[in-house]
């Protein structure tokens, strides 16, 4: 019971902390649609399962202990965030119809964006490996460990779906869509900043 409460508490605190996942869901919900935001949230939850899988297979410890492998993942994740951010920074207003200033995403693209944003985030690697090494006991049954991993994934989906519902609400969107290209640029700047900080970070393994 103590282990279960620890996993739940740590997961909830990690999920609600701001980061690239929050920025992507907020941006897609606010500037595109509720559907795009929720699908981005689902993609984030699926990305978590990648970290759960390699952690339970023992590869998470290898990634954490191998400096070159961890740095390769870190730089790949940083490059992806910078790429997304630069695309948003190029957002331009289009006359009196600002709603066409942001390119729409298909369902698959929204899902993929959320998935890659989380799957390439080494911070999630550190969180997952640390959780399973320091909180989850080695004698914990594999079925229960799988349950923990599923809970972490569902917690991400649930929280970010709530974020999507909040920021796609009509009252919120209607007040902000007139300046959507500036909002897109702001989120682009955040993602570039996240990417640069991630690439320059040291001693976070």
């Amino acid at each position: 019971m103590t282990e279960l409460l620890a996993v739940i508490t740590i997961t909830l605190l990690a999920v609600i902390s701001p980061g690239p996942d929050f920025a992507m869901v907020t941006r897609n919900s606010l500037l595109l649609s509720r559907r795009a935001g929720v699908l981005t949230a689902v993609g984030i939850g699926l990305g978590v399962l990648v970290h759960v899988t390699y952690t339970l297979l023992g590869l998470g410890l290898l990634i954490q202990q191998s400096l070159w492998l961890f740095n390769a993942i870190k730089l790949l994740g940083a490059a992806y965030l910078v790429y997304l951010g630069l695309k948003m920074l190029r957002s331009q207003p289009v006359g009196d119809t600002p709603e066409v200033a942001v390119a729409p995403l298909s369902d698959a693209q929204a899902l993929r964006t959320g998935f890659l944003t989380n799957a390439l985030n080494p911070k999630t690697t550190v969180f997952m490996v640390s959780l399973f090494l320091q909180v989850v006991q080695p004698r914990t049954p594999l079925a229960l460990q799988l349950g923990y991993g599923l809970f972490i994934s569902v917690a991400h989906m649930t929280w970010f779906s709530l974020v999507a519902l909040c920021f796609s609400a009509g009252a919120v969107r209607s007040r902000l869509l007139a300046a959507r290209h500036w909002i897109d640029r702001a989120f682009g700047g955040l993602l570039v900043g996240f990417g640069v900080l991630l690439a320059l970070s040291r001693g976070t393994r």
Side-chain angles (χ1 to χ4, degrees), residues 109-128:
Q109 288 173 325
L111 197 66
R112 184 174 65 246
T113 297
F115 176 81
L116 291 177
T117 300
N118 189 277
L120 296 177
N121 187 353
K123 300 293 185 182
T124 310
T125 300
V126 174
F127 162 71
M128 200 68 63

Side-chain angles (χ1 to χ4, degrees), residues 88-202:
M88 295 178 195
L89 285 172
R90 292 199 298 268
S91 175
Q92 298 290 334
V94 183
D96 296 326
T97 57
E99 58 275 350
V100 300
V102 180
L105 290 179
S106 67
D107 289 353
Q109 288 173 325
L111 197 66
R112 184 174 65 246
T113 297
F115 176 81
L116 291 177
T117 300
N118 189 277
L120 296 177
N121 187 353
K123 300 293 185 182
T124 310
T125 300
V126 174
F127 162 71
M128 200 68 63
V129 174
S130 299
L131 182 67
F132 277 87
L133 285 180
Q134 300 176 22
V135 177
V136 180
Q137 300 298 314
R139 63 178 179 273
T140 299
L142 178 59
L144 186 54
Q145 294 189 45
L146 290 172
Y148 289 157
L150 183 60
F151 166 75
I152 296 169
S153 175
V154 172
H156 277 76
M157 289 186 191
T158 303
W159 167 251
F160 288 113
S161 291
L162 291 175
V163 171
L165 293 176
C166 175
F167 282 94
S168 62
V172 175
R173 296 185 77 231
S174 61
R175 296 176 182 178
L176 296 175
L177 284 182
R180 66 187 304 167
H181 65 286
W182 291 113
I183 296 172
D184 211 26
R185 291 174 183 177
F187 280 116
L190 280 176
L191 289 181
V192 170
F194 280 132
V196 172
L197 289 175
L198 181 59
L200 297 178
S201 64
R202 295 181 179 179

Side-chain angles (χ1 to χ4, degrees), residues 64-109:
Q64 189 183 47
Q65 294 181 343
S66 174
L67 182 62
W68 73 266
L69 182 56
F70 182 84
N71 283 336
I73 296 174
K74 181 179 71 173
L75 291 176
L76 183 61
Y80 181 68
L81 292 179
V82 171
Y83 164 74
L84 290 178
L86 290 176
K87 286 180 63 178
M88 295 178 195
L89 285 172
R90 292 199 298 268
S91 175
Q92 298 290 334
V94 183
D96 296 326
T97 57
E99 58 275 350
V100 300
V102 180
L105 290 179
S106 67
D107 289 353
Q109 288 173 325

